[in-house]
Structure formats: structure tokens, C-alpha cells
Amino acid sequence: MKTRQANAANASSRRSPMFVKKILAPRWLLVGMVGVLAACSTPMPPGPLPAPARSGPGAPAGPAGPSIVRESARWQPVPWSDLPGWEADATARAWPALLAGCGKPAAGWAAACASARALQAPDDARVRAWLQRTLQPYRVTALDGSAEGLATGYFEPLVAASRQRSRTHGVPLYAAPPGLAQRKPWYTRSEIETLPAARAALKGREIAWVADPLDALLLQVQGSGRLAITEADGRKQTVRLAYGGHNDQPYQSVGRWLVERGAFTLEQASWPAIKAWARANPGRVPEMLAANPRYVFFREEPLPDPTIGAVGAQGVPLTPGRSIAVDPRAVPYGTPVWLDTTEPQPWSPTPPPPRPLQRLVLAQDTGSAISGAVRADYYWGWAEGAEDRAGRMKQPLRMWVLWPVTR
């Protein structure tokens, strides 16, 4: 998450949003659910993926060429047949995200973007043909040659809120206090809850009130979200809650705090597991929250079109299921990326075989926990189920970039 509108990346660990590296605000925030768990040490994916399919008769080969070395990655040219599942993806579903990215294209993309805008009736076949005609696939590896990495997920929370404090809605979401930048660090999370001076500084800065302190934490970790607000006169509306700054205190993962206290193992750690622990231990929730001294502030923005995602680090709206956050030192914003990973599933001592997640996505965001060559944070959007999938995603990953052919 983060809305990049502000561009907040994981407000807690975060990425530039996830919630911007144009960054109006540090996306370190947005790093998705990894922000809740990351400090548990870098989670390792559950196991290797099968080797990619090699070239076969009749497969489009793609032009050969030299490898490309970037600041933290090496790209090795490969034939199109090396991309696992390439022929099965509904590539036209990624086309709007690609065109959006062409609004702020990477260097070297001007001609390709002009060609993309001119493509008529972009169905799956035409999009796939355009990609294979215009772009060259490159296998992404670390500089040391490692080709295996990690895929995590983030999303845009939708939380019910009220303009007025009530018996059921008693957890405030604050706008940044005046003078926040002049006092660094600002008060810790615990001090905000207990010190009169901190509470006085925030008096009247309440944007809205939510029912569950974990909802507030989730919004802070994601860096942004949506509020389904009940106004004082009873009207209902949905607004965007964008990143508005933080207290400059160090981020500490509540997931790590729980693992260290034996609530669950690192392998079992997920946002659903954290919520289950909180439901079973309501009296210890304040103690858990206090373990993270970082506190995130917000600003409210209108949401005229609820079908449009938060703005990512590239400066364009994110597309659910087709946008990812990357390390821009390895993959420039706007680059089409082929992902080869698996879908997240609940932890089990005897898990079923993983389902492949192989699709075309666009690199349109980043986050502080998103570091390294083969590293992606997958944007699940805001629909029902997005929170659960993002919270469980910690999968093995291989990735390929698609880059304009030099003729």
C-alpha cells in the first residue's frame, strides 16, 4: 500500500510509496504488508520455482544482444519462449497500465510508447504481437548472478470510519500537527496516547475515527487507504486517506515483536495471523502497538473515481493485479515485467501444491523494503480479499524485463 497519492510508501517500513519516488513522500511507508513483518528479518520464500521452459519449435526467439548492467541488477537477453506461461496470460489486461506508464515514460521509451498509443483494438493477440515485435525480454539477476528472489504483496485498505467519536468508533486518524517538521523526532506512539502536550498538539487534527486500532495500524503501515465515512449528518461517502508525514521515530515491526514472544513462528507470520492474535489477546493490543514507536499522519483527498488506484512512485495510478513496486536501481519505472511466482495461501504444515502466478505487470512503484534485483511487491488493489492475499504473500520469484529493441 500507500497511496501514492501522497506517495507514501509503507509508512512504516517503507517504500517510497508504498505506498513515490518522485516522492512527494517517502514510500518507505508503503511497502505493503512486508512493512508489518519485515523487521522479522528478511523472509525467505518457501522454495524454488521449477526451471523455466526453454526454447521450443516455432517459439518466437526475439533478437539477441548484449546483457545490460544496471546499478543493482544484470539483464540477460533471452528468447520469448523462456518466459513461463507467456502464451497463457491475458496480456490486454496489462495494456491500460502500460499506456498509463507511457504518460511518464522511462528514457528510451518514446518511440515504443508512440507505437503503443497507435495500436488499434488491443486484444490479447494484438498486444502480445506488439510486445514481441517491439520489445526484447531480459532475465533479471543480481550482479552476482542470482536469479531467485522474493515476491510480496500490498493493497489499498478500505476502512469504515466516522467523522465523530463514538462508543464504537474511538480510534483517531490524525492530520499532521503544526510544527511537525520543527520537532524531530516528534512524540512516540505511546507518548501520543499518554502525554498531555502531544494530545494538545493533535487536538482538532482528527480526520476521522475508526473502530479497531488494528485498522489504524494497517492504514499507517500501508501509508494510505480509503475511508468509507459516515458524516455527522448521516451521509456516507468514500474518500482517500493519503500519507501526510510521520513522527520520525524508528519503525519496529509488530510481526517481529509477536514472533519474539512466541505468538507464532516466522513462517506463520502474516497480517491475518497478527489479527487473529489480537482478537485472542485484546488486553495486550496496546502493548503490541506500543512496540512500534513510529506514528503516521494523513491528509484527506477526494476520490471522484473509485475505480482508479492510488498514485505510485512513477506518478501514475496503480492497476490492481498489473502494477508492482520494484527497486528502481534494478528496474526503471514504467518497465513491463514478466513475473513467475505463485499465489499466496494460508500456512499449513502440509500445504497443497502452489498455483502459478505468471503475468505481465508494470513497474510503477517502490518502497524502502523493496530492495534488490529480483524483488517485487505485487499490488492487489482494494477489492474484497486483497488484504488477505497481500498479507499472506511471501513467494519465490523470478522475473524478466521487457525493453525496447534497438534497431
Side-chain angles (χ1 to χ4, degrees):
M1 215 208 91
K2 324 20 251 296
T3 288
R4 272 95 175 111
Q5 213 71 55
N7 261 18
N10 203 24
S12 295
S13 89
R14 212 149 298 346
R15 18 149 127 303
S16 141
M18 173 138 11
F19 281 174
V20 188
K21 227 127 194 164
K22 189 56 215 259
I23 338 209
L24 303 175
R27 166 79 198 205
W28 37 264
L29 276 190
L30 251 189
V31 79
M33 298 314 304
V34 164
V36 188
L37 309 170
C40 295
S41 82
T42 302
M44 296 303 295
L49 291 160
R54 303 305 301 174
S55 304
S67 61
I68 297 174
V69 178
R70 294 187 54 82
E71 182 179 349
S72 65
R74 185 184 301 275
W75 298 358
Q76 182 64 40
V78 298
W80 286 96
S81 55
D82 269 21
L83 278 55
W86 171 249
E87 295 292 338
D89 185 38
T91 51
R93 295 182 182 177
W95 196 245
L98 186 147
L99 293 179
C102 279
K104 296 191 175 182
W109 270 85
C113 282
S115 172
R117 295 188 189 99
L119 184 66
Q120 299 296 311
D123 58 15
D124 289 340
R126 288 185 175 89
V127 168
R128 186 174 288 105
W130 182 90
L131 293 166
Q132 293 179 180
R133 180 175 64 251
T134 311
L135 309 179
Q136 162 67 39
Y138 293 82
R139 178 72 178 270
V140 180
T141 71
L143 294 176
D144 65 4
S146 173
E148 304 292 326
L150 175 68
T152 52
Y154 68 109
F155 75 112
E156 190 175 2
L158 174 62
V159 177
S162 173
R163 290 293 187 191
Q164 295 182 314
R165 185 174 188 173
S166 67
R167 182 178 58 81
T168 58
H169 291 72
V171 181
L173 301 171
Y174 289 113
L180 176 65
Q182 281 69 56
R183 188 188 194 282
K184 292 190 173 183
W186 213 67
Y187 299 104
T188 66
R189 183 179 295 272
S190 291
E191 290 169 341
I192 288 171
E193 297 292 337
T194 59
L195 290 184
R199 299 177 72 86
L202 291 172
K203 186 176 178 60
R205 306 296 293 173
E206 301 89 349
I207 295 173
W209 305 79
V210 298
D212 189 338
L214 286 190
D215 285 340
L217 176 65
L218 179 61
L219 288 164
Q220 293 186 344
V221 169
Q222 292 297 117
S224 67
R226 300 178 181 208
L227 296 182
I229 288 188
T230 300
E231 302 287 353
D233 60 4
R235 292 182 301 110
K236 297 182 184 296
Q237 66 168 325
T238 300
V239 302
R240 175 159 279 140
L241 198 65
Y243 173 73
H246 67 84
N247 60 352
D248 207 40
Q249 296 286 348
Y251 173 77
Q252 300 294 330
S253 164
V254 297
R256 177 179 182 176
W257 186 86
L258 288 168
V259 168
E260 290 175 345
R261 281 150 186 79
F264 38 68
T265 66
L266 179 58
E267 293 71 26
Q268 295 168 327
S270 67
W271 183 244
I274 292 171
K275 293 178 68 175
W277 181 90
R279 287 193 297 269
N281 300 273
R284 298 192 64 191
V285 169
E287 179 187 3
M288 177 188 73
L289 296 176
N292 176 23
R294 174 159 292 173
Y295 197 93
V296 174
F297 303 104
F298 300 101
R299 71 172 184 272
E300 181 180 331
E301 296 181 347
L303 187 64
D305 185 349
T307 67
I308 295 179
V311 174
Q314 189 188 3
V316 302
L318 303 176
T319 302
R322 296 292 173 170
S323 294
I324 59 171
V326 297
D327 182 343
R329 300 173 304 162
V331 180
Y333 297 137
T335 303
V337 177
W338 183 256
L339 292 186
D340 180 26
T341 183
T342 55
E343 293 190 1
Q345 56 190 8
W347 182 88
S348 168
T350 57
R355 297 175 54 186
L357 180 59
Q358 300 166 330
R359 64 176 52 181
L360 180 66
V361 296
L362 279 295
Q364 296 178 321
D365 206 358
T366 191
S368 65
I370 309 306
S371 178
V374 190
R375 182 71 175 90
D377 208 18
Y378 184 86
Y379 181 60
W380 287 97
W382 55 87
E384 183 177 355
E387 175 182 339
D388 182 72
R389 289 189 289 270
R392 296 185 189 280
M393 193 168 187
K394 191 168 58 176
Q395 315 299 113
L397 171 68
R398 287 194 302 255
M399 53 193 277
W400 291 255
V401 296
L402 312 183
W403 197 253
V405 173
T406 301
R407 302 194 185 278

